[in-house]
């Protein structure tokens, strides 16, 4: 990684104001990782534009000097996506946090990409509307990050993931050109560039403004929590609920290890610590008939062996039932210093056997896995707790992760359902793509980013060996 | 070229793939050059299809992808040496009802697919123009959706993965059969709605939904569509999960021979839910003026099946779109064209419209328009002006089909903006020889 050109920082400061260019190494440490702390690489500088114009000027400056541009939202990503692993400048969206338009008569909103997911839903709630995709990190993550990762959330089972709700994007391309893709009320004159941009993990450009579709808030919600002796029983309950044609809004499972972590924390949710698994089932929509659906689901849970089913009678009770699920990631820190949040998807019917294989792999490598998952979607998070200071244990974690990915792919699934490839999973991309397909992915990136400067070294593994580690890189993200 | 193209193909394809020459007439459109394609092929295997495309790219044969051929005029393709149909690729490759997903070859019709999934209480909730007769592949590639889009979305929301044979014969598999998948860039979404300009889709994996227990359509009638505008807007803003809200200017219900304007609100769900919604919207719309009908079960289904055939036989189909709140503007713009239609010939051509109230898309069809250039001049001017006005307000006009002069002069789509170089770059990556669906996007 070469040093930044001498006048670059001044040029960036001319674009955004001197306060919004960060180059002090101590302050850069904040940007050295995302929520997947296995990767640490501080960028060479950080710049924080306040709007599309400034972002475009920043991109032009970086283009002129051929410096990598790495988009970053809130840094809650779980695949090392927002890290300058090949050096360069992080362009953060934290100042682009304005809601530009809420248009209830068309159920849409236009926001700057740094707006937080919950801030958008809070702003639209007075109109009886919300932004449906609800990643568990929604209080912290940005809409731009959600777009880049095509994020999901517990209620995406019924509502669908981010891509369904993005109708238009204003994008600053790596050379500084600004384009509008899509936009409601306009049938694209050609290919679905919005659909292609969603999930591009910052590799195609910086989204500065996002037009989203809003959804009416459901008038009624029914939530139940079922406690099972084993994870398999919980899995069977899910299968019978779905097979019966019920369409829950959410079907979420936490396993024994997760329950223990939650219950030992300050977020204790009252889940029995001797249980094998807990299943949260939620229905929402028109009040008529909703209680009957919840009753049916309750019967299926009991038939699958639930030892107890709790049903929320109030909003507070509902939050309490969800608590153990929502706080799951946060509390796993109690189990060990480090947590590898894994993410993969399998066809729902394959969940039982895949979970059994994961347990077997964990045993074999003497690791502790805590499962939290979007069961209705077959989206697993087999999280591995470990201590990174223990090099030997870390190697076992790597090996076990690789096997887990293999099991999921062999079952007809894929290597990531919502957290993205980033810097973390390039090594698994060949499990799901042929060399020819990987080459197409590279070239599609090249259409947006001919110089290969936009979030370089992410998503698609490079042909050639990864470049040498940079000066302020502590551990190189392997690819 | 006909002779050489045909003999080159004959030597490489298996028995039955080359469609008899005398059937080519079915596989052509107005103003095509040459008038008839030199050959029509319908392979049964992906590798054969890929071989044909590879050869076509080498030789510079211009290829139009097709399913059953009912939509090949759509988007105004013009230069076609070879029509490549998926209609003999009809296998179900995978169907696991408990997963609510399936994978099938592109040539299966939506109707056959429904016959396979409905015994399990499952369906693919898509009701595009042409309905169950259309092929799965064409529906996906055109991103085609009908009234159910209001609640269920379009193919872009249902497709989980697909196989794309690129213009030069590369076989590329994108996505998979799981509901959530973010490995790599979303080339599935890029392919859905690409109108055959990137390659030929040979198989599709998609998500299914439980068939709702109850199906009811509330019909609110009036003598003019404009009278139904307030009711339509209030349905667009209803917080209830309505399955479809469609506004039509001339609905001929069997019970009353006379066509009337009508607002159709389709309700799908559990019986208590549907009954509750029916009574609430009837209450909301009691002042809408005209007659109200409640169609249950088969009658509700039949009405929407009939709407699927709405475009059949039309001489011109255009889609006007704006933000849903501008429905009134769309209706006025469409009405502005009516004098042109009625004054057209003797007897006058008929114009009708059908609007998706929740998405702001208004379809307009004109029964028939003679193809002579001078006579079409007023139409060319009218559509160009209309496109200009809509685009100025952030909307768009798409000419789906129509007389070739009109399609050529007005262009099926509006011009792309600064993103044009992205579209061209993508086209060049997937179809380097520029042989596919020429004329459709103006990207060759
Ligand atoms: C406790 C916890 C729970 C989580 N739960 C979920 C969950 O339920 N579902 C889920 O899907 N994810 C979840 N995540 C992951 C993460 O929150 C999401 O991926 C989120 O969308 C990232 O948003 P961000 O703003 O933090 O993006 P960042 O981490 O800052 O960036 C992520 C990627 O997006 C790119 N990017 C960011 N902004 C832009 C932009 N404006 N334009 C272009 N590219 C951009 C970056 O380059 C990077 O590649 C969770 C994370 C945590 C820590």
């Amino acid at each position: 990684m070469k040093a930044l050109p001498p006048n670059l920082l001044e040029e960036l400061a001319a674009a955004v104001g001197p306060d919004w260019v960060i180059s002090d190494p101590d302050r850069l440490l904040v940007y050295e990782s995302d929520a997947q702390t296995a990767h640490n690489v501080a960028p060479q500088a950080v710049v924080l534009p306040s709007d599309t114009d400034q972002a475009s000027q920043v991109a032009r400056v970086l283009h002129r000097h051929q410096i990598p541009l790495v988009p970053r939202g809130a840094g809650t990503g779980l695949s090392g996506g927002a890290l300058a692993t090949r050096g360069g400048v992080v362009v953060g969206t934290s100042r682009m946090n304005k809601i530009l338009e809420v248009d209830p008569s068309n159920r849409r909103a236009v926001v700057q990409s740094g707006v937080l997911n919950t801030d958008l839903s809070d702003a639209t709630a007075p109109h009886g509307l919300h932004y449906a995709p609800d990643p568990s990190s929604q209080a912290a993550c940005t809409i731009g990050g959600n777009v880049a990762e095509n994020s999901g959330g517990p209620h995406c089972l019924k509502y669908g993931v981010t891509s369904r709700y993005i109708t238009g994007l204003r994008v600053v391309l790596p050379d500084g050109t600004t384009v509008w893709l899509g936009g409601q009320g306009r049938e694209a004159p050609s290919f679905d560039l919005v659909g292609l941009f969603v999930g591009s993990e910052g590799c195609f450009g910086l989204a500065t403004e996002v037009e989203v579709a809003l959804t009416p808030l459901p008038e009624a919600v029914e939530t139940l929590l079922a406690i099972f002796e084993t994870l398999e029983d919980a899995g069977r309950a899910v299968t019978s609920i779905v097979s019966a044609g019920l369409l829950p809004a959410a079907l979420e499972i936490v396993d024994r290890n997760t329950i223990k972590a939650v219950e030992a924390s300050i977020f204790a949710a009252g889940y029995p610590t001797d249980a094998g698994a807990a299943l949260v089932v939620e229905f929402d929509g028109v009040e008529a008939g909703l209680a009957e659906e919840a009753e049916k689901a309750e019967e299926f849970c009991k038939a699958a062996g639930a030892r107890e089913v709790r049903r929320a009678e109030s909003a507070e009770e509902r939050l309490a039932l969800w608590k153990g699920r929502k706080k799951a990631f946060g509390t796993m820190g109690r189990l060990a210093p480090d947590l590898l949040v894994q993410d993969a998807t399998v066809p729902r019917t394959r969940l039982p056997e895949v979970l059994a294989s994961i347990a077997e792999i964990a045993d074999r490598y003497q690791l502790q896995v805590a499962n939290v998952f979007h069961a209705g979607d077959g989206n697993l998070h087999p999280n591995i707790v470990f201590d990174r200071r223990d090099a030997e244990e870390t190697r076992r974690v790597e090996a076990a992760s690789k096997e887990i990915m293999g099991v999921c792919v062999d079952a007809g699934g894929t290597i990531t359902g919502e957290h993205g490839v980033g810097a973390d999973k390039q090594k698994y991309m060949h499990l799901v793509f042929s060399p020819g397909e990987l080459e197409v992915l590279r070239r599609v990136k090249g259409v947006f980013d001919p110089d290969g400067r936009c979030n370089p070294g992410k998503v698609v593994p490079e042909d050639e060996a990864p470049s040498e580690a940079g000066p302020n890189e502590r551990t190189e993200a392997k690819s | 070229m006909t002779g050489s193209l045909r003999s080159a193909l004959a030597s490489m394809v298996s028995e039955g793939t080359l469609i008899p020459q005398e059937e080519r007439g079915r596989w052509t459109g107005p103003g095509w050059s040459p008038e008839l394609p030199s050959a029509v092929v319908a392979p049964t295997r992906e590798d054969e299809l890929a071989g044909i495309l590879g050869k076509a790219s080498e030789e510079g044969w211009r290829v139009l992808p097709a399913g059953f051929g009912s939509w090949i005029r759509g988007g105004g393709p013009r230069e076609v040496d070879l029509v490549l149909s998926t209609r003999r690729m009809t296998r179900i490759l995978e169907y696991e009802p408990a997963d609510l997903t399936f994978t099938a070859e592109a040539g299966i019709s939506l109707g056959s697919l429904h016959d396979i999934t409905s015994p399990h209480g499952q369906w693919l909730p898509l009701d595009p123009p042409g309905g169950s007769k259309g092929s799965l592949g064409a529906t996906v590639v055109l991103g085609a959706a009908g009234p159910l889009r209001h609640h269920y979305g379009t193919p872009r929301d249902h497709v989980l993965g697909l196989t794309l044979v690129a213009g030069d014969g590369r076989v590329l598999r994108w996505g998979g059969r799981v509901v959530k998948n973010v490995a790599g860039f979303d080339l599935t979404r890029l392919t859905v709605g690409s109108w055959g300009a990137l390659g030929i889709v040979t198989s599709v994996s998609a998500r299914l939904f439980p068939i709702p227990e109850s199906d009811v359509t509330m019909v609110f009638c009036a003598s003019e569509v404009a009278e139904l505008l307030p009711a339509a807007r209030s349905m667009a803003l209803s917080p209830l999960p309505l399955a479809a809200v469609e506004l039509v200017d001339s609905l001929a219900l069997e019970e009353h021979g006379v066509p009337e304007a009508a607002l159709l609100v389709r309700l799908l769900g559990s019986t208590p839910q549907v009954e509750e919604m029916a009574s609430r919207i009837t209450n909301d719309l009691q002042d809408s003026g005209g007659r109200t009908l409640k169609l249950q079960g088969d009658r509700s289904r039949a009405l929407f099946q009939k709407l699927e055939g709405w475009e059949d036989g039309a001489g011109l189909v255009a889609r006007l779109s704006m933000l849903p709140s501008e429905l009134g503007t769309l209706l006025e713009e469409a009405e502005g064209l009516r004098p042109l239609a009625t004054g057209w010939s003797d007897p006058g051509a008929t114009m009708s419209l059908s609007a998706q109230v929740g998405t702001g898309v208004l379809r307009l069809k004109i029964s028939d328009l003679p193809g002579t250039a001078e006579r079409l001049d007023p139409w060319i001017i009218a559509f160009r002006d209309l496109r200009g006005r809509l685009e100025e307000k952030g909307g768009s006009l798409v000419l789906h089909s129509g007389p070739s002069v009109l399609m050529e002069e007005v262009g099926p789509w509006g011009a792309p903006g600064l993103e044009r170089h992205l579209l061209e770059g993508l086209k060049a990556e997937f179809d380097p020889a520029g042989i596919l669906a020429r004329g459709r996007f103006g990207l060759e």
Side-chain angles (χ1 to χ4, degrees):
Chain A
M1 184 169 31
K2 56 180 200 224
L4 294 179
N7 46 355
L8 183 83
L9 296 179
E10 288 85 80
E11 287 181 38
L12 292 173
V16 300
D19 291 350
W20 309 112
V21 179
I22 301 168
S23 58
D24 169 4
D26 287 342
R27 288 180 67 202
L28 289 177
L29 281 184
V30 177
Y31 299 89
E32 71 167 6
S33 65
D34 61 7
Q36 178 77 296
T37 52
H39 305 275
N40 309 80
V41 194
Q44 291 172 285
V46 172
V47 46
L48 304 171
S50 66
D51 59 18
T52 304
D53 267 358
Q54 289 193 1
S56 160
Q57 287 179 49
V58 165
R60 275 179 218 283
V61 171
L62 296 175
H63 178 62
R64 202 155 52 236
H65 295 282
Q66 288 289 304
I67 302 294
L69 180 167
V70 179
R72 185 178 176 104
T76 68
L78 287 167
S79 51
L83 273 55
T85 50
R86 297 277 186 275
V89 173
V90 160
V91 180
T93 58
S94 54
R95 292 175 65 220
M96 299 203 277
N97 56 4
K98 285 177 265 318
I99 294 174
L100 301 174
E101 188 187 356
V102 175
D103 176 11
S105 67
N106 290 299
R107 290 197 176 148
R108 69 193 252 287
V110 182
V111 301
Q112 284 189 312
S113 58
V115 164
L116 301 186
N117 179 303
T118 31
D119 287 351
L120 174 55
S121 283
D122 289 348
T124 59
H127 304 285
L129 298 168
H130 74 305
Y131 174 68
D134 61 339
S136 309
S137 53
Q138 70 186 141
C141 63
T142 66
I143 296 294
N146 295 171
V147 165
E149 301 288 6
N150 193 11
S151 300
H155 292 85
C156 291
L157 173 62
K158 172 170 168 185
Y159 290 96
V161 295
T162 302
S163 66
R164 180 155 186 186
Y165 295 90
I166 306 302
T167 54
L169 288 167
R170 195 160 181 199
V171 174
V172 172
L173 294 172
D175 66 0
T177 320
T178 304
V179 291
W180 254 117
L181 310 178
Q184 230 186 46
R186 178 164 171 253
E187 287 204 56
S190 186
F191 315 134
D192 182 2
L193 295 179
V194 175
L196 177 60
F197 192 93
V198 174
S200 62
E201 301 198 29
C203 294
F204 291 178
L206 179 79
T208 55
E209 292 173 25
V210 185
E211 186 192 64
V212 304
L214 301 169
T215 310
L217 288 161
E219 65 177 35
V221 183
E222 286 280 347
T223 309
L224 34 104
L225 175 75
I227 308 292
F228 294 89
E229 300 296 344
T230 68
L231 196 52
E232 290 69 42
D233 289 348
R236 272 197 307 173
V238 167
T239 301
S240 18
I241 290 171
V242 174
S243 305
L246 293 175
L247 207 68
L251 275 172
E252 298 282 314
I253 293 183
V254 291
D255 75 352
R256 185 190 308 272
N257 283 343
T258 307
I259 294 173
K260 280 189 187 148
V262 171
E263 292 307 318
S265 77
I266 52 162
F267 298 112
Y271 290 15
T273 48
D274 62 338
L279 166 68
V280 179
V281 186
E282 188 156 286
F283 292 90
D284 69 11
V286 178
E287 187 152 17
L290 209 62
E292 285 90 318
E293 293 187 8
E295 266 148 38
K296 279 187 204 154
E298 182 167 348
E299 281 159 28
F300 285 123
C301 288
K302 287 189 174 142
R307 72 172 194 217
E308 178 192 349
V309 180
R310 303 179 193 167
R311 194 128 146 224
E313 303 289 344
S314 65
E316 297 80 70
E317 282 183 34
R318 186 177 158 240
L319 290 179
L321 297 188
W322 268 104
K323 198 168 167 193
R325 165 64 187 90
K326 296 234 163 165
K327 295 296 176 193
F329 283 129
T331 55
M332 282 180 198
R334 298 190 55 88
L335 299 173
D338 293 290
L339 175 69
L340 181 74
V341 177
Q342 265 304 1
D343 169 42
T345 316
V346 298
R348 188 178 33 240
T349 47
R350 308 294 293 273
L351 277 173
E353 72 197 81
V354 168
L355 288 169
S357 301
I358 292 174
E360 183 275 319
I361 293 168
D363 279 352
R364 188 150 39 79
Y365 285 99
Q366 296 165 308
L367 293 168
Q368 210 184 340
V369 169
N371 284 291
V372 177
F373 52 101
H374 310 298
D377 288 329
N379 188 183
L380 296 160
H381 297 309
N383 305 308
I384 309 180
V385 286
F386 69 112
D387 182 349
R388 182 160 332 115
R389 290 162 304 187
D390 181 343
E392 188 272 332
E393 187 181 35
T394 307
R395 270 194 300 280
R396 279 187 278 129
V397 171
E398 277 286 307
S401 293
K402 188 170 169 200
E403 281 196 35
I404 291 174
M405 288 299 128
V407 164
C408 293
V409 171
D410 288 345
T414 191
I415 58 172
T416 168
E418 57 179 20
H419 294 164
V421 175
D424 200 50
K425 289 198 163 163
Q426 291 163 309
K427 51 186 181 271
Y428 305 132
M429 285 286 277
H430 67 275
L431 295 177
V432 281
F433 292 106
S434 72
E437 288 156 357
L438 290 173
E439 183 55 24
V440 174
L441 293 179
R442 266 180 220 117
R443 293 174 56 157
V444 165
K445 172 171 166 60
V447 169
F448 288 81
D449 177 28
D451 304 329
R453 277 187 311 104
C454 198
N455 208 2
K458 304 287 165 57
V459 183
V460 194
E462 277 151 10
D463 282 333
E464 54 284 325
S467 64
E468 73 292 351
N472 50 0
E473 227 165 6
R474 294 208 306 235
T475 55
E476 165 67 304
K478 270 183 247 118
S479 50
Chain B
M1 181 188 295
T2 304
S4 59
L5 185 154
R6 212 180 141 77
S7 58
L9 277 174
S11 67
M12 65 184 288
V13 302
S14 49
E15 178 96 40
T17 293
L18 206 49
I19 302 295
Q21 286 298 80
E22 53 281 11
E23 287 173 28
R24 282 179 302 162
R26 261 198 64 212
W27 301 87
T28 183
W32 282 21
S33 144
E35 214 169 291
L36 283 181
S38 297
V40 179
V41 286
T44 51
R45 293 194 330 266
E46 192 170 273
D47 57 346
E48 185 170 274
L49 185 148
I52 297 171
L53 276 180
K55 177 80 174 165
S57 272
E58 266 167 41
E59 301 288 338
W61 302 335
R62 295 159 303 181
V63 176
L64 184 67
F68 304 126
S70 41
W71 270 73
I72 52 177
R73 298 164 177 209
R78 280 196 297 276
E79 299 159 358
V80 183
D81 298 315
L82 178 65
V83 172
L84 207 165
S85 160
T86 57
R87 71 165 188 196
R88 296 207 301 149
M89 301 178 75
T90 57
R91 287 177 304 160
I92 292 275
L93 302 175
E94 197 156 31
Y95 176 34
E96 177 52 72
D99 281 333
L100 283 131
T101 61
F102 73 93
T103 304
E105 288 184 328
I108 192 169
S109 71
L110 294 183
S112 312
L113 181 67
H114 189 78
D115 292 343
I116 291 163
T117 62
S118 57
H120 299 276
Q122 300 179 357
W123 69 326
L124 180 64
L126 285 174
D127 55 352
S132 54
K133 297 195 303 282
S135 71
L136 175 65
T139 305
V140 163
V141 163
L142 305 182
L148 287 173
R149 172 182 179 184
H150 183 85
H151 181 71
Y152 288 98
T154 68
R156 133 194 236 284
D157 305 308
H158 304 312
V159 176
L160 305 172
L162 47 80
T163 307
L164 176 74
V165 182
D168 55 3
R170 278 169 295 165
V171 178
L172 306 167
R173 293 185 212 283
W174 305 127
R177 61 187 180 96
V178 286
V179 183
K180 280 167 86 182
N181 186 349
V182 295
F185 308 130
D186 198 343
L187 296 191
T188 306
R189 227 63 55 209
L190 174 67
T191 307
V192 174
S194 63
W195 282 75
L198 300 176
I200 297 188
V201 169
T202 53
S203 71
V204 174
S205 299
R207 192 178 173 175
L208 296 166
F209 289 77
I211 296 177
E213 178 186 28
S214 173
D215 186 336
V216 165
T217 298
M218 301 301 302
V219 184
F220 301 92
C221 302
S223 48
E224 299 273 340
V225 256
E227 291 166 28
L228 291 166
L229 183 61
R233 281 300 294 152
S234 93
M235 286 300 99
L237 295 177
S238 163
L240 299 172
L242 312 174
V245 186
E246 202 76 8
L247 184 61
V248 291
D249 65 347
S250 53
L251 180 76
L253 285 172
E254 280 138 35
E255 338 19 23
H256 316 267
V258 219
E260 294 175 279
L263 177 68
L264 315 174
V265 184
R266 191 172 184 187
L267 307 169
L268 297 172
S270 68
T271 306
Q273 195 188 11
V274 165
E275 289 310 315
E276 168 75 16
M277 290 196 283
S279 77
R280 275 204 238 168
I281 65 169
T282 312
N283 203 37
D284 291 348
L285 298 187
Q286 58 190 349
D287 304 327
S288 74
R291 252 163 0 102
T292 303
L293 301 171
K294 182 176 181 185
L295 306 181
Q296 311 250 22
D298 285 342
R299 290 175 70 210
S300 168
R301 268 187 292 279
L303 175 61
F304 277 87
Q305 248 157 31
K306 199 165 129 194
L307 279 184
E308 290 173 354
W310 190 81
E311 292 180 14
D312 292 356
L316 177 145
V317 176
R319 292 165 71 94
L320 286 56
S321 58
M322 288 182 89
L323 288 172
S325 59
E326 294 296 316
L327 181 63
T329 311
L330 284 183
L331 288 175
E332 278 169 31
E333 289 286 6
E335 288 303 333
L337 293 172
R338 207 183 282 275
L340 215 51
T342 35
W344 180 251
S345 55
D346 187 28
T350 53
M351 186 190 100
S352 4
L353 55 88
S354 167
Q356 267 167 27
V357 168
T359 48
V361 177
L362 181 147
R363 280 183 304 159
L364 183 146
K365 73 172 172 185
I366 297 174
S367 56
D368 62 333
L369 287 177
T372 56
E374 317 82 72
R375 299 217 52 202
L376 284 168
D377 273 351
W379 284 101
I380 294 170
I381 295 166
F383 277 123
R384 278 194 188 140
D385 289 352
L386 175 58
R387 176 174 286 154
R389 286 194 299 279
L390 293 178
E391 286 183 352
E392 205 163 282
K393 295 181 197 152
S396 65
L397 169 75
V398 179
L399 275 186
H400 261 216
S401 58
S404 59
V405 184
L406 189 74
M407 295 295 285
E408 203 156 328
E409 289 294 320
V410 182
W413 279 269
L418 287 172
E419 76 279 18
R420 169 182 279 276
H421 76 285
L422 301 175
L423 302 172
E424 286 170 346
L426 292 166
K427 170 76 175 166
E429 165 53 23
F430 288 91
D431 179 23
I435 56 164
L436 285 168
R438 290 174 67 89
R440 269 193 178 151
F441 284 133
L443 285 178
E444 42 277 336

